[in-house]
Amino acid sequence: MARYSRLVFASTVAVAAAVALAVATLVVPSGALAEAPPAPPKPANDTLANATAVKSFPSTFEGTTVGATLEPGESESNCGGATTNSVWYSLRLPAAHRIGVNLTAAGELDAVVDVYHAVRSARNSVVCEKTDTTGKASVSFVASKNGLYYIRVAALQNSQLAGFTLEVFMPTPAVRPPGHPLPASGINGQVDRTQNVNAAYSVILSAGVSYLINLSNETRGACVSGALFAPGTTSFGEESEEEGEEGGGSASALLHINCGGYRLFTPRAGQGGRYSFEITPRLSRKGVQKFRLQIAPAGPAETAPGLLLGNYVHAHGHLSGNGVSVLRLYRLEVTSHSNLNLKLIAPESAEFNLQLRDQRGRVLECQCESSGSASLQRQLQPGVYYAVVSERNNTSGNFTLERQSRTITATTISFSDTKAAPGQGLGIDVQVTPAESGRVTVEIERFDPVFGWQFFQRVQAFASGGLATVPFTPPAPGRWRAKAFYRGSRVASPSSVGATYLLVS
């Protein structure tokens, strides 16, 4: 019996060991059956229906794209590029007003902020922008009275997901006409696309008086633009929407200056009064955009008929891109077909344009890309022309402009007789047209029947009133010929003529 018990026990142990071995053999590698980490929770404003309402201004929200999704049918951003995880915010205002939105992405998040206007079931894109290399994006828009607007923050495809900070605020209200009085010496200011969306100044202009308006960009790469509005304007257009008006007082601009520059404006009869000038920033550029504005009456050197520039006269002037001394206009009265050479002497740092225009204002020649001194040449028919020296890129400096005009001449030559005998004296007549004076050179050649034409003599003469005569006595029979060269003068260009022939027998 004891032996039987020992056998049973041994068998039981063996079976248990076998089962243990089998179980050990079937153990799955570590981690294969481990549970996947739980998905991050969806943000509360993951869907449009649960958009976070913006109830006060300014408001700052700490949001995240982690765990966010895209709803079925959710459109891509108008700023381009596929998007993935998105969250929503909404706002509705009792009165029209401009709204600013600043997005600051955390971590490595590359995102885009979109603003949509809900019109019934449609969502119309209003404005959008992607984050820059610093993770920032800024937009502004005018929200209409009782209009429903949605702000979407979405991660760009292949971007890491992270949190962000969203600021929604009401920028400084746009300045309304007529604006602050503009000092005669000009003014410096700044605008930006979200906070100070415009600047406006008023100036009294008299009918029949020409005024130079210069708006210069003071921030590198910036692009401020300006517009002049007539007296009585009560709205620049967009402001009427912000105030809930119908826009009855708004008016079209009389003059535009795009991305800085200068214009000449002359009010018509009965249109004198207080004008308004509005300045706006380039919406695609972030940050502050500085400018300088000056409006002043144009002097005789800045508008027609311009200053008379005589031949070989040295005109001196000064240009400055920070004021209204931005150009000088000179009048050239050309009385004969002539060669013109305009010489501009200026510092190497001065970026000045040198233009030649005809009486209709068409540009005939332009040295407009270089800096420092420049010159241009042109053949001109009789008439009135204009030379324009103007600055670019807000540079300043002194300059000297010199005009050199030389009448284009034609020269003819002839022997006083086409036949002569050896030792017979005759004359070689040289005529310069128009009747200019100056040195004349006559070259005489003889003909060799074997070797052709050979030099014989050079004679110098002086043409007075366009005429010169050189005496010549052929020493031997044969064929002779003469050529003439008019050397020109300070006011006349050189010219030459081919041969005239003489037979001596």
Side-chain angles (χ1 to χ4, degrees):
M1 185 67 177
R3 182 180 178 187
Y4 174 78
S5 298
R6 286 194 298 271
L7 289 173
V8 170
F9 176 76
S11 299
T12 302
V13 171
V15 170
V19 171
L21 178 61
V23 171
T25 305
L26 293 176
V27 171
V28 179
S30 174
L33 296 182
E35 293 185 2
K42 296 181 179 180
N45 57 344
D46 180 47
T47 63
L48 183 68
N50 294 319
T52 299
V54 182
K55 298 180 180 179
S56 61
F57 302 91
S59 290
T60 301
F61 302 93
E62 299 297 331
T64 184
T65 56
V66 177
T69 61
L70 286 180
E71 296 185 76
E74 187 172 329
S75 61
E76 293 292 341
S77 171
N78 269 15
C79 284
T83 55
T84 55
N85 312 48
S86 67
V87 291
W88 296 87
Y89 300 84
S90 66
L91 63 88
R92 189 193 295 268
L93 301 180
H97 207 286
R98 177 171 289 277
I99 299 297
V101 179
N102 290 336
L103 172 66
T104 303
E108 300 297 323
L109 173 63
D110 294 317
V112 61
V113 57
D114 290 272
V115 178
Y116 300 96
H117 183 198
V119 181
R120 298 177 65 84
S121 61
R123 292 195 303 273
N124 300 325
S125 177
V126 177
V127 67
C128 64
E129 184 172 278
K130 295 179 182 179
T131 52
D132 58 17
T133 55
T134 65
K136 297 181 181 296
S138 299
V139 296
S140 70
F141 63 99
V142 176
S144 61
K145 179 180 179 180
N146 292 323
L148 177 59
Y149 292 85
Y150 290 105
I151 303 172
R152 184 183 78 152
V153 178
L156 296 175
Q157 194 171 47
N158 300 323
S159 167
Q160 294 186 16
L161 302 181
F164 60 84
T165 300
L166 186 73
E167 299 173 89
V168 185
F169 58 95
M170 289 184 175
T172 302
V175 181
R176 299 177 59 84
H180 303 290
L182 179 67
S185 59
I187 197 167
N188 293 80
Q190 63 184 43
V191 289
D192 62 80
R193 65 182 189 176
T194 57
Q195 189 61 257
N196 300 298
V197 296
N198 77 334
Y201 303 94
S202 64
V203 59
I204 296 177
L205 306 181
S206 301
V209 178
S210 295
Y211 295 87
L212 264 174
I213 304 173
N214 184 31
L215 175 63
S216 60
N217 285 284
E218 299 295 306
T219 300
R220 182 177 295 274
C223 184
V224 297
S225 296
L228 183 70
F229 293 84
T233 299
T234 59
S235 169
F236 293 132
E238 191 174 83
E239 296 87 340
S240 61
E241 183 181 2
E242 293 187 16
E243 296 298 328
E245 300 175 359
E246 298 300 325
S250 63
S252 299
L254 303 174
L255 174 148
H256 289 277
I257 298 179
N258 296 321
C259 206
Y262 45 85
R263 298 290 186 276
L264 188 72
F265 178 74
T266 308
R268 295 180 178 274
Q271 295 182 356
R274 184 175 294 277
Y275 286 73
S276 297
F277 194 86
E278 184 192 28
I279 301 170
T280 53
R282 170 180 276 177
L283 296 181
S284 61
R285 179 183 172 85
K286 299 178 182 180
V288 167
Q289 300 179 47
K290 297 181 179 180
F291 64 85
R292 178 169 175 77
L293 173 68
Q294 186 176 7
I295 302 177
E302 297 157 337
T303 186
L307 301 177
L308 179 62
L309 184 62
N311 203 13
Y312 288 96
V313 169
H314 291 74
H316 305 281
H318 177 83
L319 299 181
S320 174
N322 290 323
V324 291
S325 298
V326 291
L327 65 86
R328 287 294 181 269
L329 179 68
Y330 298 94
R331 186 176 77 258
L332 284 63
E333 297 180 353
V334 179
T335 58
S336 63
H337 188 202
S338 60
N339 289 312
L340 171 69
N341 184 16
L342 281 176
K343 293 184 177 180
L344 175 69
I345 302 173
E348 189 61 33
S349 59
E351 297 184 51
F352 292 166
N353 294 337
L354 175 61
Q355 290 184 344
L356 176 67
R357 295 176 178 255
D358 64 13
Q359 200 163 10
R360 295 184 178 182
R362 295 174 298 190
V363 178
L364 303 179
E365 299 286 344
C366 184
Q367 291 292 339
C368 297
E369 299 297 331
S370 60
S371 60
S373 299
S375 64
L376 58 82
Q377 295 77 37
R378 178 86 177 197
Q379 281 194 9
L380 299 178
Q381 295 291 340
V384 177
Y385 300 85
Y386 297 94
V388 184
V389 182
S390 58
E391 67 81 29
R392 67 180 190 274
N393 297 330
N394 297 342
T395 57
S396 301
N398 297 321
F399 70 88
T400 299
L401 181 66
E402 181 186 8
R403 167 193 173 184
Q404 296 179 3
S405 292
R406 303 178 75 184
T407 300
I408 296 175
T409 63
T411 302
T412 60
I413 186 172
S414 63
F415 287 100
S416 59
D417 199 338
T418 58
K419 295 182 180 180
Q424 177 185 344
L426 49 90
I428 303 176
D429 298 322
V430 179
Q431 184 172 3
V432 180
T433 307
E436 298 290 344
S437 299
R439 291 186 303 114
V440 172
T441 299
V442 176
E443 285 193 358
I444 304 171
E445 297 177 335
R446 61 181 178 83
F447 183 74
D448 183 279
V450 177
F451 298 103
W453 291 103
Q454 304 295 310
F455 173 78
F456 175 72
Q457 187 179 27
R458 176 178 293 171
V459 182
Q460 303 291 341
F462 187 84
S464 178
L467 296 175
T469 299
V470 174
F472 174 61
T473 302
R479 296 177 62 198
W480 301 79
R481 73 179 183 184
K483 301 177 182 178
F485 304 89
Y486 171 60
R487 299 300 179 182
S489 67
R490 195 165 183 260
V491 295
S493 297
S495 58
S496 62
V497 65
T500 183
Y501 295 86
L502 174 68
L503 178 61
V504 178
S505 62

